[in-house]
Structures are given as C-alpha cells and as structure tokens.
Amino acid sequence: MSGEVDVLHPARDAAFQMAEDLAAHILENSNTYHALAGQDDYPGRDRLRFAVLLVMFEEMGKLMALVQQCERAAKADYLNVRVEDFHNHCLNGRKATAQILEELRTAERASLTLGRKDIKLSEEPAFAKEDFCSLKERLLYMVADERARNLDFVPPGALMDRYATIIERNTLAAGDYIHDLGRALGLWLQLGLKPKVREGEPHSIRYS
C-alpha cells in the first residue's frame, strides 16, 4: 500500500455478497491446489502448490474479518460495513495462519485426551518463521539473492493437505453462516459451489 488507509465501507448487502463471493473464490483456488497436488511429482509442483495455498491463507484471513464485520453490522442494524486491511494480503495471511495452526493443535490435543498415542502436537512450521510477505515472490520468481532461493520452508505434501482441509472447512462454514445471517435480513445469497468429492480420488476437483 502507498500509505493510504486501507478501509472499505460497502453497503451491508454488498458486503454480504462480497463475503459469499470471496468464499467461492477460495474454493476455486482450492480446486487449483488439488489439481496440482494430484499430478505426478515433477520439479516445481510443490512450489506452485504451496503458492496457491498461501493465497488461500491470505483470503481466509480476509474472509474471517469480513464475516465478523457483517455479523456486527447485522446485529447493530448498520447500513454499511467497515472492512479494514482488505488489501493487506500479508497481514491477512499471517492472521489466518495463526488461527489455522491453533485449530490444528486443538484437534491434536483432543485426540491426545482421547488416548491417541500416535498423535503429537504440531510444531510451528518453517514458513511461519520466514518473512511471510516475501514467500509468494520467492516461490514464483527466481530471486537474485542465492540465500533467498532456499525453499526448505515449503511444508510436506501431507501437511499442506491438512492446512487446505481446514481452510476449506472454514470457508464452507463461513458461506453457510453468511447465507443464514443474510436470510434473516431478507437476502438470498448462494455460495454457488458445492463439495464434489469423489471416492478414491483425494485430489480430484472438489467444488463445482
């Protein structure tokens, strides 16, 4: 950003539609993630796969904030919704990463409480210790600094899949919540995409 304040003030109904559109956009990106993940391994596959996942993190952060403000506007009967930092992809990505990691650890703690001995709490991933704002550029472009070309921060495929699953689940829940909340206000909003999981094909196109 160029020093300008990143604040949007869409009308309430437009903000609700924006939330549904953003949820659909995340699921479209999820389709791309799974299309890449389902390919035979080749040089560069996981690099691009993780780049798409980072965009999903960033947009998940936007969606969390937007849904929260839509809820606030609905309860207070505001005519407009205040949306801060919508274009700050880096900040939104960091917020979503923190929340998703906490959700993952919460599920792991619950499994441990239930006696699962094969579960251990996830450590902070390597990419979370990097400069989040530079990750996509390092993944998509070859940088001049040889030290920055090290991509050891890219998570293993199985861990990326776990992150993607949590993002998808939260996105679908947000879409349903906005639909129900909007319906109470006389709005009829549709996510437009529905799960389409095919048995035996973990990385098939999931939403259509």
Side-chain angles (χ1 to χ4, degrees), residues 87-161:
H87 300 99
N88 192 332
H89 308 311
C90 181
L91 176 63
N92 287 311
R94 286 200 302 262
K95 287 181 177 179
T97 298
Q99 175 171 319
I100 289 167
L101 291 177
E102 183 55 34
E103 287 186 36
L104 184 59
R105 289 170 183 145
T106 298
E108 290 167 344
R109 290 188 193 100
S111 295
L112 288 171
T113 301
L114 293 173
R116 288 281 302 274
K117 299 185 182 300
D118 58 326
I119 298 291
K120 63 178 181 179
L121 292 181
S122 296
E123 298 179 357
E124 185 178 26
F127 76 89
K129 302 174 185 177
E130 299 281 334
D131 174 16
F132 196 96
C133 302
S134 70
L135 292 182
K136 276 190 304 183
E137 183 171 352
R138 291 169 62 186
L139 289 165
L140 295 174
Y141 302 97
M142 194 199 81
V143 295
D145 185 351
E146 290 188 13
R147 293 170 298 179
R149 295 180 199 169
N150 186 334
L151 302 181
D152 288 346
F153 59 81
V154 175
L159 186 54
M160 282 196 272
D161 288 347

Side-chain angles (χ1 to χ4, degrees), residues 7-174:
V7 180
L8 304 178
H9 293 92
R12 186 192 64 190
D13 294 1
F16 271 70
Q17 185 62 60
M18 185 189 301
E20 287 286 12
D21 292 345
L22 181 54
H25 198 261
I26 294 171
L27 296 180
E28 289 176 0
N29 285 335
S30 177
N31 280 340
T32 300
Y33 169 85
H34 288 292
L36 285 167
Q39 297 297 313
D40 292 337
D41 194 12
Y42 61 85
R45 183 197 66 170
D46 285 350
R47 178 169 58 81
L48 292 179
R49 176 182 177 184
F50 188 49
V52 174
L53 186 61
L54 285 177
V55 175
M56 292 168 64
F57 272 112
E58 292 169 348
E59 294 207 315
M60 186 73 246
K62 291 184 188 182
L63 183 60
M64 292 182 334
L66 184 54
V67 168
Q68 183 180 50
Q69 292 306 314
C70 283
E71 180 184 48
R72 181 181 179 189
K75 290 181 177 179
D77 199 25
Y78 294 149
L79 296 178
N80 293 83
V81 174
R82 179 182 173 88
V83 184
E84 298 183 0
D85 299 315
F86 186 83
H87 300 99
N88 192 332
H89 308 311
C90 181
L91 176 63
N92 287 311
R94 286 200 302 262
K95 287 181 177 179
T97 298
Q99 175 171 319
I100 289 167
L101 291 177
E102 183 55 34
E103 287 186 36
L104 184 59
R105 289 170 183 145
T106 298
E108 290 167 344
R109 290 188 193 100
S111 295
L112 288 171
T113 301
L114 293 173
R116 288 281 302 274
K117 299 185 182 300
D118 58 326
I119 298 291
K120 63 178 181 179
L121 292 181
S122 296
E123 298 179 357
E124 185 178 26
F127 76 89
K129 302 174 185 177
E130 299 281 334
D131 174 16
F132 196 96
C133 302
S134 70
L135 292 182
K136 276 190 304 183
E137 183 171 352
R138 291 169 62 186
L139 289 165
L140 295 174
Y141 302 97
M142 194 199 81
V143 295
D145 185 351
E146 290 188 13
R147 293 170 298 179
R149 295 180 199 169
N150 186 334
L151 302 181
D152 288 346
F153 59 81
V154 175
L159 186 54
M160 282 196 272
D161 288 347
R162 294 180 74 185
Y163 295 148
T165 297
I166 296 173
I167 292 173
E168 291 165 21
R169 184 177 65 233
N170 289 354
T171 299
L172 289 168

